[in-house]
Amino acid sequence: MAPNLCAVVGNSVAARLVGLAGGLKTLAMLPSCDLQVLGAPKRTGTGLSTSTLKPHEGVVYSCELMVELEPELRASVGRSLAAKCTLAARVDFSGEVKDGSAGLKFREDIERKIERLQEPPPAKVAKPLPIPGETKKNKRGGRRNRKLKELYGMSELRKQQNRMAFGKLEETYGNDLDTGFGMIGQDGSKKLRVEAKKTDSVEKAANRRLAKEQNRGGSGARAAGLTTTLTFSSGEGIQLGTTTPAPGGIGVGRMDASDGTKTNYFASSTPFLGLSRK
């Protein structure tokens, strides 16, 4: 009655599908998603355990192609099997192919898919890193970009600096890190000749600057004007007075105390001697 459907899932499963659908015509009109759950067990409220029930697996999952299949592949292969069963039922209902050759072709497609799914994944290949600078980068052109390339590009002078003459000591410059001139200024280079000049180190420059500051601070003239001095007296303590210059501007003068008395510097008992002009 349905040779193509029997070639896909077998005689017993095909008979159950036709019986559950109510005929070959009804089975041919069903979509594959409904045929997939056709005859699936339903949950009952009897209180019994339903952990082993699979409500999304119908009669199609009881064929020989699905019995020995891995659990992780049952869902994918089940959808394909339901789709092929729907096509086989429609071919049988039309009556165009009565020898079952279309069903055998559908079964071979399913077996080929199962083999492809059961193949091990390809091994990871360790890809080498790309050579830096080999890939072409899309950069914006223009005058600014050209100026930037010229600024950081390799000039002829830099090429000469990176080269060294065999058996000759190159001239260096710098304080801490010695940087060589390379082939610049060497005989036969036909380039600009550079003379190396040693500069002072950081420590010498700092010492020279410090000495200059000290000389500048010590040679400055003092500002002229009246100054006040604290006087220490044995009897009266600390007194604030005004120092009067000595006659003629030579020597130490006297100090006028706050009470109006004129005394020598510090005390009357120990006067300072002035210097006389010769």
Side-chain angles (χ1 to χ4, degrees):
M1 184 179 64
N4 296 288
L5 183 60
C6 294
V8 176
V9 293
N11 297 332
S12 60
V13 177
R16 292 177 61 183
L17 288 174
V18 173
L20 291 172
L24 185 59
K25 180 180 179 180
T26 308
L27 183 62
M29 295 175 63
L30 286 177
S32 62
C33 58
D34 292 344
L35 190 145
Q36 183 180 356
V37 297
L38 190 64
K42 297 181 180 180
R43 296 181 182 274
T44 59
T46 57
L48 300 177
S49 177
T50 58
S51 59
T52 58
L53 295 179
K54 298 179 181 179
H56 300 289
E57 295 185 1
V59 180
V60 181
Y61 286 84
S62 60
C63 68
E64 57 180 355
L65 291 175
M66 302 292 296
V67 171
E68 299 179 357
L69 198 62
E70 292 83 355
E72 58 271 11
L73 303 179
R74 289 176 64 88
S76 177
V77 178
R79 289 191 293 268
S80 301
L81 182 60
K84 297 299 183 181
C85 289
T86 302
L87 294 177
R90 292 173 182 176
V91 171
D92 291 333
F93 179 72
S94 64
E96 296 179 358
V97 182
K98 297 182 179 181
D99 56 351
S101 59
L104 292 176
K105 184 178 179 181
F106 294 154
R107 186 182 178 92
E108 290 176 359
D109 294 342
I110 297 173
E111 291 176 351
R112 195 179 301 110
K113 181 178 181 180
I114 294 174
E115 292 178 359
R116 186 173 65 253
L117 293 175
Q118 290 178 345
E119 290 179 357
K124 294 183 179 180
V125 180
K127 296 182 179 180
L129 295 176
I131 302 175
E134 289 294 330
T135 58
K136 185 178 180 181
K137 298 181 179 179
N138 297 327
K139 291 186 177 180
R140 179 180 177 182
R143 184 179 63 180
R144 182 181 300 178
N145 190 24
R146 290 194 300 270
K147 293 292 184 181
L148 189 63
K149 290 178 64 176
E150 292 175 2
L151 179 61
Y152 293 100
M154 181 63 69
S155 61
E156 292 295 331
L157 191 62
R158 179 67 67 180
K159 291 180 181 179
Q160 293 293 331
Q161 185 182 9
N162 293 338
R163 297 174 182 174
M164 291 183 62
F166 182 76
K168 293 184 180 180
L169 184 64
E170 64 174 351
E171 298 180 356
T172 59
Y173 67 94
N175 299 324
D176 299 331
L177 299 177
D178 292 336
T179 305
F181 288 111
M183 291 292 294
I184 300 177
Q186 298 290 340
D187 296 336
S189 62
K190 299 180 181 181
K191 297 294 179 182
L192 178 65
R193 295 187 177 274
V194 180
E195 296 181 358
K197 182 179 180 182
K198 295 292 184 179
T199 58
D200 293 340
S201 62
V202 179
E203 183 180 359
K204 291 182 180 180
N207 294 337
R208 185 172 61 255
R209 193 183 303 108
L210 181 60
K212 186 177 180 180
E213 293 292 337
Q214 290 177 354
N215 295 335
R216 183 184 301 175
S219 62
R222 298 181 181 178
L226 295 178
T227 58
T228 58
T229 307
L230 290 177
T231 304
F232 294 88
S233 177
S234 60
E236 300 179 358
I238 300 175
Q239 296 181 2
L240 181 63
T242 305
T243 303
T244 304
I250 300 176
V252 181
R254 66 178 185 274
M255 189 183 76
D256 299 336
S258 58
D259 56 354
T261 60
K262 297 182 178 180
T263 60
N264 291 331
Y265 200 68
F266 284 112
S268 59
S269 61
T270 57
F272 279 92
L273 298 177
L275 297 177
S276 62
R277 179 178 297 179
K278 294 182 180 181

